[in-house]
């Protein structure tokens, strides 16, 4: 018999994902660990999302909320206000969890009781559900603010956090249209310990109409996020660590711009990276790679 209060609260914001949300919800119901609640916030869908969800709502662990369209950050925050679990995790309505998702993360918390946030890897699939790749970026454990400034290594749908993190530092900022997940995990990295578990926990679907599919816009947003983080949490790292992480970020952005055909903008970002850290190798290697590619 399930406990009266769920141990885990699962949050799913959705907007016009009627073609996918049933698969997402079913992947929650298929979990090997069952003491959860699933909060679904319909962010003003104009398709038949409500009808698709209807049969699932007979399960009392599923709680459905509707709001006028305000964006997924507002939807997630609404669910956070109603969440009762000791642990919080997120599943977007076009993604799918593996059955061991919850059990694996709870086991990691048992193994590492001083960890505040546990996360793993994802398998990328296309719109039809075909597997595209299993390669993930480098992940890190511990106090990972330095690594997070260089690049967001925490996947929204592969992460579980203690409720206290949200109670102490708040939820989604809602300041930006994209990358609010990065804003959240970077904020948490200023105070909390992360534990990376090298295990596949979810299928991450990539589609043309996803907000996150515009990588150029995401780089611009991430730039504003890391600048805000440095201003708001200056004690999270030393000045030298901030500068080194910023140099890495601008070098990475420059390489992307060069690959996209924006060589002049790429060179400008290399210049910014060198201002932060002129005597480390990363910006110089990026500059060499950009120049050598241009000569081919």
């Amino acid at each position: 018999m399930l406990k009266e209060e769920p141990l885990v609260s699962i949050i799913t914001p959705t907007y016009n994902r009627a073609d996918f949300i049933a698969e997402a919800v079913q992947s929650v119901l298929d979990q090997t660990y069952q003491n959860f609640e699933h909060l679904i916030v319909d962010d003003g869908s104009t398709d038949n999302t409500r009808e698709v969800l209807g049969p699932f709502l007979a399960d009392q662990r599923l709680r459905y909320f509707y709001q006028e369209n305000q964006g997924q950050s507002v939807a997630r925050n609404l669910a956070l206000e109603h969440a009762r679990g000791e642990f919080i995790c997120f599943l977007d309505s076009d993604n799918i969890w593996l059955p061991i998702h919850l059990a694996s993360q709870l086991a990691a918390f048992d193994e590492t009781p001083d960890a505040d946030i546990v996360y793993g890897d994802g398998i990328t699939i296309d719109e039809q559900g075909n597997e595209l790749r299993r390669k993930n970026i480098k992940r890190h454990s511990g106090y990972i603010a330095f690594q997070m400034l260089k690049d967001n290594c925490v996947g929204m749908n592969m992460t579980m956090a203690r409720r206290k993190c949200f109670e102490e530092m708040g939820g989604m900022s809602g300041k930006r249209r994209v990358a609010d997940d990065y804003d959240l995990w970077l904020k948490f990295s200023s105070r909390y310990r992360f534990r990376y578990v090298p295990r596949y926990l979810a299928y991450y679907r990539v589609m043309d109409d996803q907000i996150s599919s515009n990588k150029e816009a995401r780089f611009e947003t991430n730039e504003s996020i890391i600048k805000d983080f440095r201003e708001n949490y200056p004690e999270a790292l030393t000045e030298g660590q901030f500068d080194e992480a910023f140099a890495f970020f601008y070098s990475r952005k420059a390489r992307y711009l060069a690959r996209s055909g924006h060589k002049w903008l790429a060179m400008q970002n290399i210049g910014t990276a060198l201002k932060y850290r002129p005597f480390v190798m990363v910006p110089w290697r990026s500059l060499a790679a950009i120049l050598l590619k241009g000569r081919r």
Side-chain angles (χ1 to χ4, degrees):
M1 182 176 293
L2 297 176
K3 296 178 182 177
E4 197 170 309
E5 290 294 325
L7 183 65
V8 181
S9 293
I10 302 155
I11 293 173
T12 295
T14 187
Y15 176 71
N16 288 348
R17 285 290 186 257
D19 291 342
F20 304 104
I21 194 167
E23 195 172 9
V25 174
Q26 190 61 53
S27 75
V28 172
L29 297 176
D30 290 342
Q31 290 297 298
T32 58
Y33 182 84
Q34 290 282 303
N35 186 23
F36 60 77
E37 63 173 355
H38 190 183
L39 296 85
I40 302 170
V41 182
D42 186 340
D43 186 36
S45 293
T46 58
D47 62 6
N48 62 326
T49 290
R50 189 191 297 262
E51 288 73 23
V52 171
L53 288 172
F56 293 103
L57 298 180
D59 190 322
Q60 294 184 355
R61 295 172 298 178
L62 273 66
R63 304 167 66 193
Y64 175 80
F65 303 85
Y66 180 88
Q67 65 178 26
E68 296 300 320
N69 184 251
Q70 299 175 69
Q72 62 181 4
S73 293
V74 175
R76 285 171 176 150
N77 283 338
L78 174 64
L80 283 168
E81 291 176 9
H82 293 273
R84 298 173 293 167
E86 181 182 339
F87 297 95
I88 306 291
C89 47
F90 300 91
L91 174 63
D92 290 343
S93 56
D94 48 12
N95 295 329
I96 309 162
W97 276 353
L98 274 69
I100 47 79
H101 187 286
L102 294 179
S104 295
Q105 294 190 309
L106 290 170
F109 276 113
D110 286 340
E111 294 165 7
T112 318
D114 58 344
D116 300 298
I117 297 153
V118 168
Y119 71 112
D121 290 321
I123 302 167
T124 305
I125 59 175
D126 64 15
E127 190 164 346
Q128 290 72 41
N130 302 307
E131 184 175 325
L132 298 177
R133 58 186 174 273
R134 293 191 174 220
K135 185 178 180 181
N136 284 250
I137 66 173
K138 187 175 182 181
R139 316 283 194 184
H140 305 274
S141 292
Y143 294 96
I144 64 172
F146 176 68
Q147 290 84 3
M148 285 287 289
L149 276 175
K150 291 163 67 174
D151 194 6
N152 180 18
C153 62
V154 181
M156 191 69 166
N157 291 259
M158 288 80 78
T159 303
M160 181 182 288
R162 295 189 188 275
R163 180 192 185 93
K164 72 168 188 177
C165 300
F166 299 92
E167 292 175 340
E168 293 173 356
M169 298 195 74
M172 319 302 296
S173 74
K175 290 175 63 176
R176 304 167 179 91
R177 185 169 178 267
V178 297
D180 224 18
D181 57 333
Y182 181 35
D183 199 8
L184 177 74
W185 305 126
L186 184 58
K187 174 177 69 175
F188 283 176
S189 74
S190 70
R191 183 182 300 182
Y192 304 118
R193 183 181 178 190
F194 286 67
R195 162 86 190 277
Y196 163 57
V197 178
R199 189 168 188 178
Y200 294 107
L201 299 175
Y203 292 98
Y204 176 74
R205 198 185 307 267
V206 291
M207 296 187 291
D208 290 338
D209 67 341
Q210 282 176 318
I211 295 174
S212 60
S213 62
N214 187 338
K215 195 167 183 178
E216 220 165 299
R218 195 168 181 100
F219 262 115
E220 295 302 318
T221 303
N222 286 359
E223 184 176 352
S224 68
I225 287 172
I226 65 174
K227 287 179 176 178
D228 283 355
F229 179 79
R230 185 169 192 168
E231 181 179 345
N232 295 330
Y233 303 98
E235 304 301 320
L237 297 168
T238 66
E239 286 297 307
Q241 288 175 316
F242 271 116
D243 285 347
E244 184 174 346
F246 273 44
F248 188 97
F249 170 82
Y250 284 106
S251 298
R252 188 167 58 85
K253 183 182 177 185
R255 293 194 300 273
Y256 168 75
L257 289 169
R259 290 194 301 269
S260 302
H262 304 294
K263 189 173 180 180
W264 176 242
L265 286 175
M267 297 298 287
Q268 287 181 315
N269 278 270
I270 289 293
T272 302
L274 288 169
K275 286 179 182 177
Y276 280 109
R277 265 294 192 258
F279 302 115
V280 298
M281 289 302 297
V282 170
W284 294 106
R285 285 174 183 155
S286 297
L287 176 61
I290 291 168
L291 293 175
L292 288 172
K293 186 176 182 181
R295 291 176 182 172
R296 292 176 187 171

